[in-house]
Amino acid sequence: GLIRPSVPMTDDLSFQLLQANGKAGNIGRSLALLNYRKLKGYKVRGKRREFKYAVQSILSAGVDSRTHRSPYAWDTEQKAIDNPTRWLDAILVNMHERGVQLDTGLANWMLMTYASTGRSGRATHFFYK
C-alpha cells in the first residue's frame, strides 16, 4: 500500500482546525485542540479568537436543537437540550491556565450559549431552581 507521511501539527494548523471545528459544532474536538495548544505552549491568537471559536462550537452544536423544536409538543417528546455549563467551564479553566483574562465581549458570547439552546428564561429559572 501507499505510505503517506504524516502532517506535523503546527501552531497554524492547530488554530485552523480549531476554527473549522468551532464553526462545525464539534465541541469535543474544539476543546481537545484548545488543550493541545495549551500543552504545546502556543500563544493565544488575536483577541482571544481561539476561545471564541471554542464557544462557537457550542453555539453551532445547538442549531439542531433550535430548528427542530416544536412549541406544540410536550417536553418529554422533544430532544434533550444539553446544558453548556461543563463546556464553558472547560474553556474558562483553559483560559486561566494560559493566563488569559475574560473580557466582557467573550463573557457575552458565552452567555449567548444559554439563549441559543432553545430554553426560555422561565425554563432556565426552573432548571436551576
Side-chain angles (χ1 to χ4, degrees):
L2 180 66
I3 298 174
R4 296 181 185 162
S6 62
V7 176
M9 181 69 83
T10 62
D11 182 12
D12 288 331
L13 180 59
S14 65
F15 182 74
Q16 289 173 359
L17 286 171
L18 178 59
Q19 181 181 10
N21 282 288
K23 290 178 180 180
N26 295 323
I27 300 169
R29 285 190 184 137
S30 295
L31 295 178
L33 284 163
L34 268 184
N35 194 42
Y36 178 83
R37 291 181 60 76
K38 178 189 74 167
L39 292 174
K40 289 293 188 178
Y42 295 146
K43 287 180 64 175
V44 176
R45 297 279 187 108
K47 296 182 179 183
R48 301 168 180 82
R49 284 189 312 173
E50 61 193 73
F51 300 109
K52 194 169 182 180
Y53 290 135
V55 174
Q56 177 63 49
S57 69
I58 300 169
L59 293 169
S60 296
V63 169
D64 186 58
S65 296
R66 289 192 308 276
T67 56
H68 294 101
R69 290 189 70 78
S70 170
Y72 306 107
W74 292 95
D75 284 340
T76 56
E77 299 169 356
Q78 306 261 17
K79 181 180 168 188
I81 297 174
D82 288 324
N83 184 352
T85 303
R86 63 182 175 188
W87 299 312
L88 294 174
D89 284 346
I91 294 168
L92 288 169
V93 166
N94 191 290
M95 289 176 70
H96 173 73
E97 291 173 345
R98 293 173 78 183
V100 178
Q101 289 189 350
L102 180 66
D103 65 352
T104 305
L106 189 57
N108 287 337
W109 195 252
M110 289 178 156
L111 288 173
M112 280 194 326
T113 62
Y114 288 98
S116 71
T117 56
R119 284 195 180 111
S120 65
R122 184 169 188 250
T124 302
H125 170 75
F126 285 107
F127 179 79
Y128 287 107
K129 190 173 181 182

